[in-house]
Structure formats: C-alpha cells, structure tokens
Amino acid sequence: MAELRIVSPPVIAVLASADAIDALRAPSGATLCRVAPREALVVGDSELSASDIVLDEPGAIVEDVTDGWAGFELAGDDVLEAFARLSELELPGEGFVQGDVARIGAKVVVTPGRVTIVVPAMLGAFVEERIRTDCAELLA
C-alpha cells in the first residue's frame, strides 16, 4: 500500500547567475531543484527559510514562495507503482526531477520510500483528485 499525505514543504526560489546557481548547496534537510539555468527551488522537508540560503551574488533574489505551491507526498511500499500511474517520468533513487505528473508540470523530490510532488497551488485540487482516482487501489 501507499499513503497519500497533503504536505506544505518550504519552497525557496533562488534567481541568480548560472554560476551562482551552480555553486549553490542546499541546507541539510532540503533538496536543491535546478529548474532553469538561472533559477533553482530549494524544497525542504523541515523548517527552512530564505535566510538559510547562502548565496554570494549581489542582486540575486532569494524568496520564500511556499504559499504558491501545493505538495503531495506518497510513501510506503507501493510508492513507485503509484507514481507510475501518474507519470512516465523516470525517478532517480534519490534527488529531483521535473516534468509531467497527472498532466501538470510538477517538481518531484525523491527520498528513500517517499516521493513528494510539488505543483502550483492553483492546480493542487486537480492533482489531488488525479492521485486519489488513478491510485485508488494502492492508497491506504
């Protein structure tokens, strides 16, 4: 079985030069998600704030954008099968991937036994309904 949890992981947007983004490291308990050459999202699984992001570049933008995102966590034994019903993305063993999930552009953070799907907040209800429908027989 898999378990679906509605989550609100901290999401920090970082906009800076490609070199500054290349040098950026995620704080402990967070995942660095490179979404474009000059843009990254830092997604935390604990308390994370913009002040935790260390970036040595004048003019860089580091903003908490958590309110703009909805999160869905799939955990348990059948998490990979459940995710496969939502997306054709190949998941890494651990880390970040982005692409089509339930027909929505999503950010996906993978940790052992857990997949966290992050989508724009305005699409959250649609994605939750797709997860509950497409994965119904796998959800606890």
Side-chain angles (χ1 to χ4, degrees):
M1 298 302 295
E3 181 182 351
L4 171 64
R5 295 182 201 120
I6 310 305
V7 295
S8 184
V11 180
I12 309 298
V14 182
L15 293 90
S17 70
D19 289 340
I21 299 291
D22 288 343
L24 186 61
R25 299 292 170 253
S28 178
T31 301
L32 178 65
C33 306
R34 182 73 172 263
V35 297
R38 297 175 42 103
E39 180 181 358
L41 294 177
V42 180
V43 179
D45 63 0
S46 61
E47 291 302 314
L48 173 72
S49 71
S51 64
D52 295 326
I53 307 301
V54 178
L55 192 66
D56 186 25
E57 181 172 276
I61 297 171
V62 178
E63 284 292 325
D64 185 326
V65 294
T66 302
D67 290 344
W69 297 92
F72 305 93
E73 184 178 280
L74 293 168
D77 295 336
D78 292 329
V79 67
L80 297 179
E81 184 178 344
F83 186 81
R85 292 179 181 206
L86 301 168
S87 178
E88 294 181 10
L89 288 173
E90 288 191 35
L91 294 177
E94 192 168 347
F96 165 72
V97 65
Q98 66 181 350
D100 186 324
V101 177
R103 292 179 268 160
I104 301 298
K107 315 307 182 201
V108 181
V109 176
V110 182
T111 55
R114 181 175 63 181
V115 173
T116 303
I117 303 163
V118 182
V119 299
M122 65 185 178
L123 302 171
F126 172 80
V127 172
E128 180 180 359
E129 189 270 332
R130 291 282 15 111
I131 294 170
R132 292 191 187 283
T133 299
D134 296 348
C135 303
E137 61 205 36
L138 297 174
L139 296 177

